[in-house]
Amino acid sequence: MLLFFTLGLLVHFVFFVSIFDIYFTSPLVHGMTPHFTPLPPPARRLVLLVADGLRADSLYELDENGNSRAPFLRNIIMHEGSWGISHTRVPTESRPGHVALIAGFYEDVSAVAKGWKENPVEFDSLFNESKYTWSWGSPDILPMFAKGASGDHVYTHSYDAKKEDFGAHDATKLDSWVFDNVKDFFHAARNNQSLFSKINEEKIVFFLHLLGLDTNGHAHRPSSRDYKDNIKKVDDGVKEIVSMFKHFYGNDGKTTFIFTSDHGMTDWGSHGAGHPSETLTPLITWGAGIKYPQKVSAQQFDDAFLKEWRLENWKRRDVNQADIAPLMASLIGVPFPLNSVVKMTQKKEVTLSFLFTPFKLLSDSTQLNILRKARSYIKQKKFDEVVSLCKELIHLALKGLSYYHTYDRFFLGISVVTGFVGWTSYASLLIIKSHSNLIRGVSKEVKKPSHLLPCSFVAIGILVAFFLLIQACPWTYYVYCLLPVPIWYAVLREFQVIQDLVASLLSFPLSHFVGYLLVFTLGIEILVLSFFYRYMLTAGLIAFAGWPFLTQLWTRAKITSLSWTFFSLLLAVFPLMPVVGRKPDISLVMGAGLLLLLLSLFVVTSLMKRKGSFIKEELLVHGLQMLSTVLSMYVVYSTHSSLLKKQGLPLMNQIVSWATLASSLVVPLLSSPVLFQRLFSILLSLMSTYLLLSTGYEALFPLVLSCLMCVWIYIEQETLQQSGVSCKQQLTSIQFSYNTDITQFRQLYLDDIRRAFFLVFFLVTAFFGTGNIASINSFDLASVYCFLTVFSPFMMGALMMWKILIPFVLVMCAFEAVQLTTQLSSKGKMNYLRSIGFVHFRKQK
């Protein structure tokens, strides 16, 4: 069984890694020839200003008095330059946004594994192609463009990472630091001949990264006065920098300015997903090589922004974020960053000719035809038609790049699915073989194994390996394609069990078989749909609420049935609550804490009435856990008040929070081994941490879920007695133990499939009941402010992940109790729980 468990971990690890290898691989091809425009560049230098987290509407819209929050930049739009919207892509995070802006490509999502800081794949950038680049700003952004740059010509100036504090009194100081240091730099250059000569060279870049808006947006929301005042602060700073550049270079007209943002931000202060408030960022350009404003009478766009912003008379030019990099490169005359991809040649070289399928929409003949037409139009001076043809060619080229980049996706997907289905089949067959009555009566005669089956699979494996070898496939392809071979060999070795299973299914009455199949299909469909529509969880819980009334449970255990219905319906409310866009409501967190304390008092009082079952040590443990709950409530309230006053996170609150988190993993082990006392101790400890990580209604979720899990344990015992499988045990006599009395275990029955479905459904509910783990912007950074406010992606991510896992742990602990109370062996799972520190149950003798 230990070997089976180890193999299971390995197989699932491979399946998990395959997701990133299939969907999140880098699109870059290295070793390309540099390309740049042959025309003389209009600018000698370029100033790139990126206001991190600035939304397009927040900059362009007028305030309640009809005035612009950024009067200098609005004056640029009307009198000096061009403007528009830069369209970003998911994930709308700082690193991918800056990579798109400065390197000219959309980076793969695997960069999140390095906290958006390190370079998972080395890439070229505008800074690398420039003669010199000086940058000022966040230590999270600047180093990734300096690292990997050829030569020593990219200089970075960053403030201390501790300044990135969401609880700081004034986050605009981050922007003031940048503006002040740029001024000091140019002042020092006048007295430094070497530096002075460098900044008077051509093909140089100055990069100003302004993080204040992103910090204020996370801490106070984009609708706050802090965020809007920060826009005015940035506008004033940009005005001063522009004036300084003009004065320093004698107003030579050789400086280009580009002002934009890496991503926007939702109304609730988060980003990462694809909401328009996150993907629409401002773009304002002026200076050398930039067209002056163009007045128009009408413009065709699919939105109403122009009228809202009162900019309908100034021509708007929208771009894709990755197109800003080649624009900047052409303005100062440096080669375009070498991140363009040539995928067809690369894929054709490593694919067998009879298997290669080219991109039909852009065949060689189509390319030649478009180029022939373009040359003809140029001779006829039909330049608008040439531009139209070029746009068509660009559109087809982008589709072709996507086609070749995902060329192997279907092939790899089939391989992984084949392996996963095989592993699921093998695990199911082993369970049926070991824990059911299905194969009783089967002859125990040992048949001489045939050599045909293993030889066939060895031959298949050799063919697959040879096929991959001649195509020069990466080593990971061998893993994905060869893994199904031994798995399906193991499945077919259990052919006798398969025969018995089929015979057993055929022995069912047709009406029963069809009924079970329909119910099974409906249940699976609800689970699948719940990943896309959270309200399907509500539908499932409502169905659960009516389950006791469709069986004889209602007549046998009325109170338990009513409790099950009540808590199922109560839990069904949570998937209907908003995931994003909600404001923090500390009163709900306080309410959850009070309910937990009342429940604790009730449980402790009930246990104390039982003579000899509640000793002083146990009372002390529960008392400490109740005190921890009170402290958590105080920390949440005081931290919220302190941050509202912009006084930061109190040190004592931070210490108490981390101590509570650490103790929550240890204290339950000190509680009584009796089943319900241990489960309640786990709830108290985990809820103390969960309160610290809550900002609103979600604080009530684990409490309601735990109540339903408690009723589930009771109701499953009733169903077992109803089926006549075994007699009812006293739950108060079951306690934790490392020893397992295997003589008490029974075989699997049809009702156990229903229990397994309940487990999966509750796990899905635990994950999606109060949030959407598939959407980055559903996470609110305010959830971790009791622990830290200084930006730390890995630590913040770990805390948020633990918040997601707490309901999951509660469900798994309850299911382990169900397994014991229904006298069902769970050998593999018990070994797993033992390996990660969970203890087991047994019936007290």
Side-chain angles (χ1 to χ4, degrees):
M1 188 59 69
L2 180 60
L3 177 61
F4 176 74
F5 165 71
T6 305
L7 288 174
L9 276 183
L10 178 62
V11 169
H12 282 84
F13 176 76
V14 171
F15 293 153
F16 177 76
V17 172
S18 70
I19 296 173
F20 295 92
D21 211 10
I22 296 174
Y23 294 99
F24 301 132
T25 53
S26 174
L28 304 188
V29 175
H30 297 287
M32 293 184 60
T33 304
H35 293 278
F36 54 90
T37 173
L39 301 175
R44 291 176 59 87
R45 67 200 70 92
L46 181 138
V47 181
L48 173 62
L49 305 107
V50 178
D52 201 308
L54 177 59
R55 294 165 45 150
D57 58 346
S58 296
L59 179 70
Y60 292 140
E61 68 185 4
L62 304 179
D63 62 17
E64 55 275 6
N65 299 319
N67 300 320
S68 173
R69 299 189 185 96
F72 174 76
L73 290 172
R74 193 169 183 93
N75 182 71
I76 293 292
I77 293 174
M78 295 180 174
H79 299 99
E80 293 187 40
S82 298
W83 77 283
I85 292 177
S86 169
H87 295 264
T88 70
R89 284 191 185 180
V90 175
T92 46
E93 295 288 344
S94 291
R95 178 191 166 94
H98 282 89
V99 168
L101 281 169
I102 300 168
F105 74 100
Y106 299 104
E107 191 180 29
D108 58 286
V109 187
S110 62
V112 73
K114 296 194 176 184
W116 299 124
K117 293 183 179 181
E118 295 297 325
N119 297 340
V121 177
E122 293 302 327
F123 56 83
D124 193 15
S125 69
L126 172 74
F127 297 170
N128 187 44
E129 297 293 345
S130 68
K131 192 163 188 178
Y132 296 106
T133 292
W134 290 271
S135 57
W136 296 264
S138 168
D140 297 324
I141 299 298
L142 305 188
M144 68 182 180
F145 294 103
K147 181 181 178 181
S150 58
D152 184 21
H153 68 283
V154 178
Y155 306 100
T156 62
H157 306 272
S158 303
Y159 39 74
D160 188 1
K162 293 182 179 179
K163 291 182 178 291
E164 299 178 8
D165 189 346
F166 297 114
H169 174 68
D170 185 11
T172 61
K173 291 182 178 179
L174 298 175
D175 299 337
S176 299
W177 185 96
V178 172
F179 293 133
D180 292 342
N181 275 264
V182 172
K183 296 173 189 175
D184 294 341
F185 171 81
F186 276 89
H187 179 73
R190 295 184 181 277
N191 302 317
N192 186 325
Q193 187 59 40
S194 174
L195 179 60
F196 186 82
S197 62
K198 285 182 179 179
I199 62 177
N200 277 281
E201 295 276 2
E202 61 180 12
K203 301 179 180 180
I204 60 175
V205 177
F206 300 94
F207 172 43
L208 282 67
H209 176 245
L210 309 170
L211 189 62
L213 282 163
D214 186 73
T215 306
N216 269 320
H218 284 306
H220 307 292
R221 309 294 187 266
S223 59
S224 66
R225 176 53 53 190
D226 302 84
Y227 187 86
K228 294 174 181 177
D229 288 347
N230 202 156
I231 295 177
K232 180 66 170 65
K233 184 79 172 182
V234 167
D235 184 68
D236 292 340
V238 172
K239 181 179 179 180
E240 293 176 5
I241 293 297
V242 171
S243 176
M244 183 202 68
F245 266 88
K246 288 182 178 179
H247 177 71
F248 186 90
Y249 289 106
N251 202 14
D252 63 355
K254 291 295 183 179
T255 306
T256 301
F257 297 91
I258 293 184
F259 180 89
T260 185
S261 175
D262 54 345
H263 57 76
M265 188 172 290
T266 62
D267 292 338
W268 50 95
S270 65
H271 54 81
H275 191 273
S277 61
E278 301 166 90
T279 60
L280 303 182
T281 60
L283 175 63
I284 303 175
T285 60
W286 69 99
I290 303 298
K291 280 187 176 182
Y292 279 92
Q294 181 181 352
K295 280 203 169 186
V296 293
S297 57
Q299 301 185 68
Q300 297 296 324
F301 286 95
D302 295 331
D303 52 59
F305 294 141
L306 288 171
K307 190 173 183 181
E308 292 176 11
W309 301 336
R310 299 182 187 177
L311 291 171
E312 57 267 40
N313 295 327
W314 281 267
K315 187 172 180 60
R316 166 179 155 188
R317 295 177 172 88
D318 286 11
V319 301
N320 291 321
Q321 192 176 55
D323 293 336
I324 297 177
L327 168 65
M328 295 188 293
S330 61
L331 286 169
I332 58 175
V334 299
F336 301 139
L338 299 180
N339 297 313
S340 300
V341 287
V342 181
K343 286 289 186 180
M344 184 182 75
T345 303
Q346 183 191 54
K347 182 54 61 179
K348 193 172 183 179
E349 288 176 351
V350 297
T351 305
L352 295 175
S353 58
F354 65 91
L355 293 176
F356 180 72
T357 306
F359 181 59
K360 296 180 180 179
L361 295 179
L362 195 59
S363 61
D364 292 340
S365 59
T366 304
Q367 295 179 46
L368 292 174
N369 186 45
I370 292 176
L371 293 175
R372 180 184 55 79
K373 285 184 178 180
R375 293 190 183 98
S376 175
Y377 286 142
I378 291 174
K379 290 179 180 179
Q380 300 173 37
K381 297 186 178 181
K382 296 181 179 180
F383 301 116
D384 289 339
E385 286 80 354
V386 175
V387 171
S388 178
L389 276 175
C390 290
K391 288 182 178 179
E392 179 187 352
L393 184 60
I394 291 171
H395 174 70
L396 291 175
L398 290 174
K399 292 183 69 174
L401 291 176
S402 176
Y403 172 80
Y404 288 114
H405 181 57
T406 60
Y407 190 84
D408 292 332
R409 183 172 292 179
F410 180 76
F411 166 67
L412 293 176
I414 289 295
S415 299
V416 171
V417 169
T418 303
F420 186 78
V421 171
W423 177 256
T424 304
S425 303
Y426 180 60
S428 301
L429 290 173
L430 284 188
I431 292 173
I432 292 171
K433 182 179 180 180
S434 304
H435 301 287
S436 75
N437 298 322
L438 185 63
I439 60 173
R440 284 188 180 180
V442 176
S443 174
K444 300 296 182 181
E445 179 183 350
V446 179
K447 298 180 180 179
K448 186 177 180 179
S450 171
H451 295 291
L452 178 61
L453 186 63
C455 290
S456 300
F457 276 90
V458 168
I460 292 173
I462 293 173
L463 288 174
V464 170
F466 180 73
F467 175 76
L468 297 173
L469 181 64
I470 60 177
Q471 297 200 103
C473 292
W475 67 269
T476 52
Y477 283 36
Y478 289 84
V479 177
Y480 307 141
C481 296
L482 290 176
L483 185 61
V485 176
I487 289 178
W488 278 102
Y489 169 68
V491 170
L492 293 182
R493 283 191 63 185
E494 304 295 338
F495 183 71
Q496 186 62 54
V497 181
I498 297 174
Q499 280 187 319
D500 295 335
L501 176 61
V502 173
S504 178
L505 292 175
L506 293 176
S507 67
F508 267 90
L510 182 60
S511 58
H512 288 187
F513 179 78
V514 173
Y516 287 137
L517 184 61
L518 288 176
V519 171
F520 175 79
T521 304
L522 179 62
I524 296 298
E525 193 63 29
I526 289 176
L527 282 176
V528 173
L529 289 175
S530 66
F531 281 81
F532 303 95
Y533 311 101
R534 290 175 63 243
Y535 59 80
M536 293 305 298
L537 294 174
T538 298
L541 288 167
I542 292 174
F544 282 10
W547 167 59
F549 301 99
L550 300 177
T551 63
Q552 296 180 2
L553 287 172
W554 167 247
T555 59
R556 294 179 58 88
K558 286 184 171 59
I559 295 179
T560 304
S561 298
L562 287 174
S563 300
W564 169 268
T565 301
F566 173 75
F567 286 114
S568 294
L569 293 176
L570 192 58
L571 193 65
V573 175
F574 287 93
L576 299 177
M577 302 292 283
V579 176
V580 292
R582 54 188 175 86
K583 295 182 179 180
D585 191 345
I586 302 303
S587 61
L588 290 176
V589 182
M590 296 295 103
L594 289 174
L595 286 176
L596 183 63
L597 289 174
L598 291 174
L599 181 61
S600 302
L601 290 173
F602 173 77
V603 172
V604 171
T605 303
S606 302
L607 292 174
M608 290 180 66
K609 290 179 180 179
R610 299 176 184 172
K611 293 183 179 180
S613 64
F614 207 60
I615 59 178
K616 291 182 179 179
E617 289 80 1
E618 298 169 8
L619 181 61
L620 177 62
V621 171
H622 283 291
L624 289 174
Q625 290 180 311
M626 293 173 66
L627 177 61
S628 178
T629 301
V630 174
L631 285 175
S632 295
M633 294 170 62
Y634 169 76
V635 168
V636 169
Y637 181 79
S638 62
T639 300
H640 180 71
S641 300
S642 179
L643 292 178
L644 282 179
K645 297 174 184 177
K646 297 184 180 180
Q647 295 176 351
L649 171 62
L651 178 60
M652 185 55 65
N653 288 11
Q654 190 175 23
I655 293 173
V656 171
S657 297
W658 285 106
T660 301
L661 173 60
S663 63
S664 67
L665 304 175
V666 178
V667 173
L669 301 177
L670 305 177
S671 63
S672 169
V674 176
L675 186 146
F676 270 109
Q677 292 185 39
R678 178 59 62 87
L679 289 177
F680 186 69
S681 179
I682 292 172
L683 170 64
L684 280 178
S685 290
L686 295 182
M687 271 299 294
S688 296
T689 303
Y690 201 87
L691 289 174
L692 294 170
L693 293 168
S694 298
T695 60
Y697 73 85
E698 78 272 17
L700 295 163
F701 179 73
L703 197 58
V704 177
L705 180 65
S706 296
C707 291
L708 182 60
M709 293 298 98
C710 178
V711 179
W712 186 31
I713 297 171
Y714 275 103
I715 206 167
E716 287 295 358
Q717 200 179 34
E718 293 291 343
T719 60
L720 195 68
Q721 186 180 7
Q722 175 183 313
S723 62
V725 175
S726 66
C727 59
K728 184 175 181 179
Q729 301 181 76
Q730 290 294 324
L731 293 180
T732 55
S733 66
I734 301 177
Q735 65 178 28
F736 285 88
S737 174
Y738 283 101
N739 300 316
T740 306
D741 186 2
I742 62 174
T743 62
Q744 299 291 330
F745 292 140
R746 59 177 177 81
Q747 295 293 314
L748 285 170
Y749 289 89
L750 191 60
D751 212 30
D752 291 313
I753 298 178
R754 193 257 315 152
R755 292 188 183 93
F757 176 78
F758 274 22
L759 169 65
V760 175
F761 188 90
F762 286 139
L763 288 177
V764 174
T765 303
F767 277 121
F768 296 106
T770 60
N772 181 6
I773 62 174
S775 178
I776 299 176
N777 73 2
S778 67
F779 297 114
D780 189 354
L781 287 179
S783 298
V784 303
Y785 285 172
C786 289
F787 293 87
L788 74 165
T789 54
V790 176
F791 181 66
S792 176
F794 280 118
M795 189 63 69
M796 289 178 167
L799 288 169
M800 290 179 181
M801 186 57 65
W802 180 235
K803 179 183 178 181
I804 293 171
L805 289 176
I806 284 176
F808 172 84
V809 172
L810 294 173
V811 172
M812 287 305 301
C813 289
F815 183 66
E816 182 65 12
V818 168
Q819 291 289 86
L820 241 309
T821 56
T822 56
Q823 299 176 341
L824 182 64
S825 172
S826 54
K827 292 179 182 177
K829 181 163 63 63
M830 286 183 175
N831 288 331
Y832 170 62
L833 293 176
R834 183 180 290 116
S835 69
I836 61 173
F838 279 80
V839 291
H840 298 285
F841 303 99
R842 71 170 175 86
K843 184 179 178 183
Q844 185 181 22
K845 293 184 179 179

